[in-house]
Amino acid sequence: MKAVIYIVLVMGALLLPASKFVRDSAIVFIKAMATGIERLVIRGDYAEIRLVDGDEFNEVIHEPGRLVIMSVQKEMTASSRSEVLELDQAIKRLPAKVLVAKVIAEQNAPLLAELNIPRDVPTMRIYSRGKMVKEFQGSVDKDKFLRVVQYHLDNPNVKIHGDAFMGPMHPDWMPEGVEARGKKVAVPVTPLE
């Protein structure tokens, strides 16, 4: 077994200087493997939470095989902490396929300006394969947020076009602000003459 590992390491050392693409691919692969091993051994099957700065943001949202939740928050104060505690607890229980990237607004003003995110409004964005699929600003409805996350976890190959996504709709889907009635009313239909 040791011999196989040594052979793989030697081959990797020979291929790394070959090209920038191979080198970058190897680094991404090694990071993904290290994160996977850490997830299995240390944290279990729960979402990973990272503090992210502007220079590593693009790398984080393109993390392979993971749904990324970007959470923009003000400096952690007691009052802001109590407001989001319930949502934070629900996010921590999400599976390991989720990466939570926390961005502190005061420390990342250029990134927030680039993404058109107001500094004074708490914002949550969900990214799949580097593209934003949903944004929540201000107070977040926990149930709606978790439904969107679960949908994208269940359907990782949904085609994403800009800010929208295409995929099968749930049978009980209704437009925002429209509610279904308690029972269906039979409406008589007359034939056209």
Side-chain angles (χ1 to χ4, degrees):
M1 184 65 183
K2 280 185 180 180
V4 172
I5 292 173
Y6 290 138
I7 291 171
V8 169
L9 288 175
V10 169
M11 293 299 288
L14 293 174
L15 288 177
L16 280 179
S19 75
K20 182 176 178 0
F21 175 75
V22 172
R23 193 170 41 246
D24 291 343
S25 298
I27 290 170
V28 168
F29 176 74
I30 290 170
K31 282 183 180 179
M33 290 299 293
T35 303
I37 291 170
E38 177 190 2
R39 236 184 289 146
L40 290 173
V41 175
I42 298 172
R43 285 193 321 259
D45 192 30
Y46 295 109
E48 177 185 356
I49 300 173
R50 286 188 208 164
L51 279 175
V52 175
D53 289 327
D55 55 342
E56 59 189 354
F57 174 75
N58 283 330
E59 182 181 324
V60 168
I61 65 170
H62 287 93
E63 184 133 344
R66 296 183 87 179
L67 187 68
V68 179
I69 298 172
M70 182 186 81
S71 173
V72 179
Q73 299 174 347
K74 293 183 187 179
E75 287 286 342
M76 296 298 179
T77 60
S79 64
S80 69
R81 189 74 184 138
S82 64
E83 293 170 4
V84 296
L85 184 62
E86 187 177 331
L87 182 60
D88 280 350
Q89 292 299 323
I91 289 173
K92 286 179 185 176
R93 289 188 299 266
L94 289 171
K97 288 183 180 180
V98 175
L99 169 63
V100 180
K102 290 200 175 201
V103 176
I104 305 300
E106 291 83 3
Q107 299 172 3
N108 295 290
L111 174 65
L112 299 182
E114 179 183 325
L115 298 174
N116 295 325
I117 298 174
R119 285 178 44 180
D120 56 341
V121 178
T123 303
M124 309 247 332
R125 285 186 173 180
I126 301 171
Y127 289 88
S128 178
R129 297 183 315 270
K131 298 202 185 244
M132 183 177 70
V133 294
K134 186 72 174 169
E135 179 179 44
F136 296 88
Q137 288 190 339
S139 63
V140 177
D141 178 15
K142 181 183 90 165
D143 295 330
K144 183 176 181 181
F145 179 79
L146 292 176
R147 275 196 310 269
V148 171
V149 170
Q150 191 60 48
Y151 175 80
H152 287 285
L153 286 173
D154 294 341
N155 303 298
N157 295 322
V158 170
K159 301 218 184 307
I160 301 169
H161 301 283
D163 291 342
F165 66 91
M166 293 179 61
M169 299 185 76
H170 294 286
D172 59 350
W173 178 85
M174 298 289 281
E176 189 132 349
V178 176
E179 296 179 8
R181 289 190 168 173
K183 66 177 188 176
K184 295 186 179 190
V185 178
V187 179
V189 179
T190 60
L192 294 175
E193 299 185 28

